[in-house]
Amino acid sequence: MTQQQNKAIAILTSGGDAPGMNAALRSAVRTALNLKFKVYAIFEGYEGLIRGGNLIQEFNWASVGGILSLGGTAIGTARSMEFQTFEGRLKAAKNLIDRNITNLIVIGGDGSLSGANSLAKKWNQYLEKLLQEKQITPQQAHNNSQLSIVGLVGSIDNDMVNTDMTIGTDSALHRIVEAIDAINDTAASHHRTFIIEVMGRNCGYLALASALATSAEFVLIPENPPAEGWEDDMCELIQNNNMLGRNHSIIIVAEGALDQNGDRITSQYIKDVLSEKINCDARITILGHVQRGGSPSAFDRYMSTVLGYKAVNIFHDKSDNIEAEPKIVGLKNNRLNVFPLADAVKQTKAIPETLKKRDFSSVMALRGGHFEDMYEIFKIFSRALPHKDTTIPKLVNDSKKNIAVINCGWSASGMNTAVKTALRLAIHKGHNILGINNGFSGFLNREISLINNVKLEEYCANGGSFLGTNRDILDKVTFCQLANVIKEYQIDALIMIGGLSGYINVYNIYLSREQHPELKIPIICVPATINNNIPGTEFCIGADTALNTIVNAVDKIKYSSANHRRTFIVEVMGRKCGYLAMMTGLATGAEYIYLPEESLDLEDFQKDIKELNHAFANNRKIALIVRNEEANDIYDTDFLRKLYQRESKGLFDVRTSILGPLQQGGRPTVFDRITAIKLVDKAVDLIDDAFDDKNKDIKFLGLIGGKVISHDIEHFKNMVHVHNDRPKDQWWMKIRDIVKLLSSYRENN
Ligand code: ADP
């Protein structure tokens, strides 16, 4: 018997539901079982904790099977008036003590986490009272003298301080942007202006992120009320937009948007202003509860899984000073962040008051740097409108420069957003942007033109590459020709947005600069590839879209199995980098994941088949294996199908699915769009600086810990495994053990 065996953990979801809560529940339950805790799920939030009975159920490994892809919460949620009273919480305490539950995970918004804090703060008083009333024995009071609480923030609004994303926000953004893209299509057909109202009573995150991602013309949020006279600015923007050839406009308004006096700006008011001032008949769409529903995004599944795992480990290790006060586990800068619950909830709850006091700058500061950055970029975006020129203007003075932009590698969703960002920000800084079509071979062939940005804007919500792209790697002997093209077109700088082939071309340019001085221009590489195999960045543009496309496809494949006993082997892209395979496996609950980073031999497969046979013999209906396309040259997908089928002993049949090019398509996700915008914002800044101090550096950019980082090109070769075309440092391999732990069969535990 281990020390933990008489210890128990309970988990509840409370307040507004959010996609991803199920992933957190699944992860917490299975991690806890693995660490020999007894696990209870409390149904219907605090209401269930008060009422007890069958609303508190012991969970096993299978209790959380099949819930990873579901929206909402499998254990229900409720709002409880009674829990806000001492008597209500006393009943809750009794139910916890009766089951020896000394660890509680609460997944909910700031309200629910306040509730958790109230329970923890007065725990001694509940013990005393229950003891006095002889509802519990002294031994029980002794055994339960400590209640440890970890909160996970489940809220689509993304309104908690100290954490970058709360559970459900990314999924809500998926819903919102899908809806706005759809509205954009119809708005364009009818030359209309739409006002779209999104959730966020005190937090404008959803409005701001979706406005940036969809290039909306105007956004209204509670944290940063528009200046007096904003109505005229808005009308002018809409009119300019029409004059420049865009025939439709989108205005996004958070449901709690405020003006400088702290009064609400309603969608109806905006509509009336547009009608009165510029005779524009705008349509209002209030997105409402669609934003909360639907299957969780890949990111929400990943983040919630990691948070649930960490929460349980805090109890197990008694780390992070958990016995002193309740903690929240969140993700900040793509890293786990554990911080005191009471303080964070207090600060978050103070925001509505601060808004009422019209202290908007304090609220902006509380929202953090990422929020403020997004706001600044949005302001530039909405002012730097598309132009109508179609011929390359002659450069008249030194201050206006020609910046060329090129796509390389396979197409990745979000490349167009990156090109559009370069265009808008370069215009803002007074430069021209030249588009190079069809990668580096197009560059050599002088396929160069001024980008038709009205067309690009229309195309932007699509996948693929508007400029055209390919994987050609130039022979160094052609660099003399390339130097001539650069001179001829007066190209002063280059932004390369693409995958490894683009990086290799740029690296070779770097090596050839002494022979060809025309190549001494600033060049910035921006990572864009679905494979996520570029060094110096945690995320590449396009990888999130590909991952979500794959995850949605795998969800469907799993549902197709009906009542057959079946093992699916799904092959995903990634070349020699297992990122897509690993994250797909994590987000879909795959039993096994085969990665190129890990050597695989027949013994591994034998072990897996044995486990599968055992599971299917014990009534298992479906199993999933995710295999990276280059995991192993010999044991390919077809080999595995035959092997598993042969060895299945008739217990299950095997189907394969090679997802192929569908992984590269699709409208870019919000994350890919915003990543593209952040990276290119930095690229244009660096180029502008290079013009100023005549610094002709070549750099490559990355997103690390939520920040855009630049690296000197000379380090590129040292940061990649040359033969495997993947970075030496792969952050996501650190979660390999979590994925193994959650997905392997432990049903008999
Ligand atoms: P959310 O958690 O999504 O913010 P609510 O604000 O409705 O949702 O809170 C959910 C539940 O949490 C409430 O119905 C109540 O039971 C509990 N709760 C909220 N605030 C407190 C508090 N200060 N003390 C005790 N319980 C609270």
Side-chain angles (χ1 to χ4, degrees):
M1 219 190 213
T2 68
Q3 208 186 1
Q4 299 286 348
Q5 241 160 356
N6 58 351
K7 293 284 176 187
I9 290 183
I11 304 160
L12 63 84
T13 52
S14 166
D17 62 305
M21 283 180 162
N22 286 330
L25 172 71
R26 171 181 179 271
S27 163
V29 167
R30 291 189 172 177
T31 306
L33 289 171
N34 192 51
L35 293 170
K36 310 283 182 223
F37 282 95
K38 211 168 197 184
V39 186
Y40 292 94
I42 298 165
F43 286 73
E44 313 302 330
Y46 291 125
E47 210 42 43
L49 189 53
I50 292 170
R51 282 168 40 205
N54 65 2
L55 289 177
I56 304 181
Q57 289 179 22
E58 194 178 339
F59 262 27
N60 61 27
W61 196 268
S63 310
V64 286
I67 63 170
L68 190 54
S69 61
L70 304 179
T73 157
I75 54 175
T77 176
R79 294 197 156 90
S80 167
M81 292 302 285
E82 201 180 347
F83 193 74
Q84 304 202 27
T85 64
F86 184 88
E87 288 69 30
R89 292 196 293 272
L90 191 69
K91 289 184 198 164
K94 167 88 167 68
N95 277 322
L96 290 172
I97 293 166
D98 280 349
R99 291 165 183 79
N100 221 8
I101 297 168
T102 51
N103 305 288
L104 178 65
I105 298 178
V106 174
I107 311 173
D110 57 0
S112 306
L113 300 180
S114 293
N117 196 43
S118 313
L119 189 63
K121 233 172 37 189
K122 300 209 172 121
W123 187 248
N124 284 337
Q125 292 178 33
Y126 305 131
L127 282 181
E128 270 168 37
K129 180 101 176 146
L130 290 170
L131 205 50
Q132 249 174 30
E133 293 176 355
K134 299 210 171 4
Q135 292 200 56
I136 57 171
T137 63
Q139 185 60 45
Q140 279 182 301
H142 177 261
N143 290 348
N144 292 273
S145 59
Q146 169 73 36
L147 176 69
S148 300
I149 298 183
V150 170
L152 306 182
V153 193
S155 157
I156 65 163
D157 290 346
N158 205 21
D159 51 358
M160 177 62 68
V161 300
N162 276 345
T163 169
D164 285 342
M165 289 293 265
T166 54
I167 295 172
T169 302
D170 188 58
S171 306
L173 279 174
H174 274 247
R175 302 293 101 76
I176 294 170
V177 169
E178 276 155 21
I180 297 176
D181 284 347
I183 288 169
N184 253 322
D185 294 342
T186 165
S189 310
H190 290 279
H191 303 245
R192 278 208 173 113
T193 294
F194 271 86
I195 301 159
I196 299 168
E197 186 173 309
V198 302
M199 282 184 172
R201 253 170 298 163
N202 300 307
C203 182
Y205 186 87
L206 292 177
L208 183 55
S210 56
L212 195 55
T214 58
S215 298
E217 274 59 39
F218 210 75
V219 66
L220 291 149
I221 56 174
E223 294 89 344
N224 206 333
E228 293 284 340
W230 63 270
E231 292 92 336
D232 291 330
D233 287 351
M234 176 181 72
C235 291
E236 196 188 315
L237 264 171
I238 305 292
Q239 282 181 315
N240 279 347
N241 200 33
N242 292 345
M243 266 166 27
L244 288 162
R246 267 194 83 169
N247 53 17
H248 65 284
S249 301
I250 299 281
I251 296 165
I252 298 182
V253 50
E255 60 180 336
L258 299 174
D259 66 14
Q260 288 284 344
N261 300 318
D263 295 326
R264 265 210 61 199
I265 300 174
T266 62
S267 299
Q268 186 59 44
Y269 177 70
I270 300 168
K271 179 178 163 69
D272 294 343
V273 167
L274 290 168
S275 166
E276 278 159 28
K277 289 195 184 263
I278 53 172
N279 197 23
C280 165
D281 178 22
R283 303 294 158 104
I284 297 175
T285 299
I286 298 174
L287 292 181
H289 277 82
V290 227
Q291 296 165 84
R292 203 180 270 293
S295 185
S297 67
F299 176 80
D300 270 325
R301 298 184 199 193
Y302 149 72
M303 180 178 74
S304 307
T305 298
V306 174
L307 297 183
Y309 174 85
K310 175 70 182 172
V312 172
N313 275 283
I314 290 178
F315 295 141
H316 177 67
D317 303 337
K318 301 198 187 310
S319 58
D320 296 282
N321 210 6
I322 188 63
E323 295 191 332
E325 59 174 330
K327 297 290 184 325
I328 289 177
V329 185
L331 211 59
K332 196 164 173 67
N333 302 331
N334 200 28
R335 307 284 183 276
L336 285 167
N337 186 27
V338 183
F339 49 96
L341 180 148
D343 243 26
V345 169
K346 196 169 149 204
Q347 283 188 54
T348 303
K349 288 195 140 215
I351 286 178
E353 286 309 309
T354 318
L355 284 173
K356 265 191 215 141
K357 284 189 223 140
R358 292 188 277 153
D359 180 4
F360 300 116
S361 53
S362 297
V363 179
M364 275 305 262
L366 273 176
R367 291 279 179 247
H370 176 51
F371 192 94
E372 287 178 286
D373 289 351
M374 282 205 304
Y375 191 76
E376 286 311 309
I377 299 176
F378 182 81
K379 275 202 306 203
I380 297 171
F381 249 57
S382 61
R383 297 280 159 188
L385 283 169
H387 60 78
K388 273 178 149 175
D389 304 339
T390 50
T391 53
I392 300 176
K394 284 271 166 285
L395 293 179
V396 284
N397 59 42
D398 264 359
S399 65
K400 190 163 179 151
K401 305 281 187 184
N402 279 338
I403 303 174
V405 57
I406 189 169
N407 284 161
C408 298
W410 292 119
S411 66
S413 296
M415 277 181 163
N416 298 329
T417 311
V419 173
K420 178 184 74 177
T421 307
L423 186 72
R424 285 202 176 191
L425 298 180
I427 291 172
H428 178 72
K429 291 189 188 285
H431 304 304
N432 296 318
I433 280 275
L434 308 183
I436 298 170
N437 300 118
N438 304 319
F440 271 90
S441 41
F443 202 170
L444 273 190
N445 295 334
R446 296 176 167 70
E447 294 174 40
I448 301 171
S449 57
L450 205 71
I451 298 169
N452 179 335
N453 44 44
V454 174
K455 266 202 183 148
L456 171 64
E457 295 277 338
E458 303 303 333
Y459 199 89
C460 226
N462 293 322
S465 162
F466 176 78
L467 289 178
T469 180
N470 62 42
R471 297 172 59 211
D472 294 346
I473 293 179
L474 296 188
D475 198 316
K476 283 191 201 151
V477 296
T478 59
F479 281 10
C480 168
Q481 250 172 290
L482 195 67
N484 287 339
V485 179
I486 288 176
K487 193 169 167 198
E488 189 180 323
Y489 280 81
Q490 295 177 280
I491 292 172
D492 298 296
L494 177 68
I495 302 178
M496 193 292 297
I497 300 158
L500 269 183
S501 56
Y503 278 67
I504 291 167
N505 279 319
V506 172
Y507 187 74
N508 289 338
I509 289 179
Y510 160 71
L511 297 180
S512 314
R513 288 170 124 196
E514 288 315 313
Q515 288 116 289
H516 310 291
E518 291 82 4
L519 298 178
K520 287 191 178 175
I521 55 171
I523 304 177
I524 310 292
C525 299
V526 174
T529 164
I530 70 165
N531 299 333
N532 211 30
N533 62 346
I534 304 285
T537 188
E538 288 170 354
F539 298 102
C540 298
I541 299 164
D544 187 58
T545 306
L547 183 59
N548 277 285
T549 307
I550 297 168
V551 167
N552 288 337
V554 175
D555 283 349
K556 290 188 184 110
I557 289 170
K558 281 178 85 171
Y559 285 126
S560 75
S561 143
N563 250 348
H564 307 285
R565 290 174 191 279
R566 187 161 284 170
T567 292
F568 289 102
I569 304 176
V570 178
E571 180 183 302
V572 303
M573 286 180 168
R575 310 212 52 185
K576 287 268 183 240
C577 172
Y579 175 80
L580 286 176
M582 166 93 141
M583 296 311 248
T584 300
L586 181 152
T588 55
E591 273 66 33
Y592 303 109
I593 305 170
Y594 298 148
L595 304 173
E597 285 82 2
E598 297 171 333
S599 63
L600 290 162
D601 55 36
L602 265 180
E603 275 175 23
D604 296 311
F605 301 126
Q606 276 167 346
K607 179 185 102 355
D608 297 351
I609 291 169
K610 214 168 144 195
E611 282 180 7
L612 281 177
N613 282 344
H614 177 75
F616 279 98
N618 284 289
N619 251 341
R620 184 84 194 174
K621 290 260 164 44
I622 179 174
L624 174 68
I625 296 171
V626 179
R627 177 185 178 274
N628 160 283
E629 59 185 353
E630 295 186 21
N632 190 299
D633 293 346
I634 296 161
Y635 307 129
D636 65 8
T637 300
D638 200 44
F639 174 91
L640 292 184
R641 178 184 64 77
K642 289 178 190 152
L643 179 72
Y644 280 60
Q645 191 63 76
R646 166 77 179 72
E647 299 297 325
S648 69
K649 302 194 169 67
L651 287 165
F652 59 91
D653 64 13
V654 184
R655 292 283 188 279
T656 55
S657 179
I658 298 176
L659 294 181
L662 83 85
Q663 299 166 80
Q664 286 171 294
R667 290 187 157 181
T669 58
V670 177
F671 182 78
D672 276 334
R673 297 184 203 195
I674 291 182
T675 301
I677 292 168
K678 277 174 144 180
L679 289 169
V680 175
D681 176 49
K682 177 79 172 182
V684 174
D685 268 357
L686 284 174
I687 282 179
D688 212 41
D689 291 349
F691 290 150
D692 282 349
D693 42 355
K694 304 274 175 269
N695 180 351
K696 307 291 186 219
D697 277 355
I698 302 185
K699 296 197 183 288
F700 58 108
L701 299 185
L703 201 61
I704 299 181
K707 294 195 173 54
V708 180
I709 307 288
S710 74
H711 313 269
D712 291 332
I713 194 74
E714 62 195 85
H715 302 308
F716 170 70
K717 273 275 157 82
N718 288 335
M719 292 163 78
V720 268
H721 275 295
V722 182
H723 299 302
N724 288 324
D725 285 352
R726 64 175 177 245
K728 287 183 181 164
D729 183 23
Q730 293 178 298
W731 65 271
W732 48 270
M733 279 302 281
K734 295 191 187 90
I735 53 170
R736 179 63 170 131
D737 288 343
I738 305 181
V739 181
K740 270 191 186 159
L741 182 152
L742 297 179
S743 60
S744 55
Y745 290 112
R746 288 163 199 268
E747 287 169 78
N748 300 327
N749 257 2

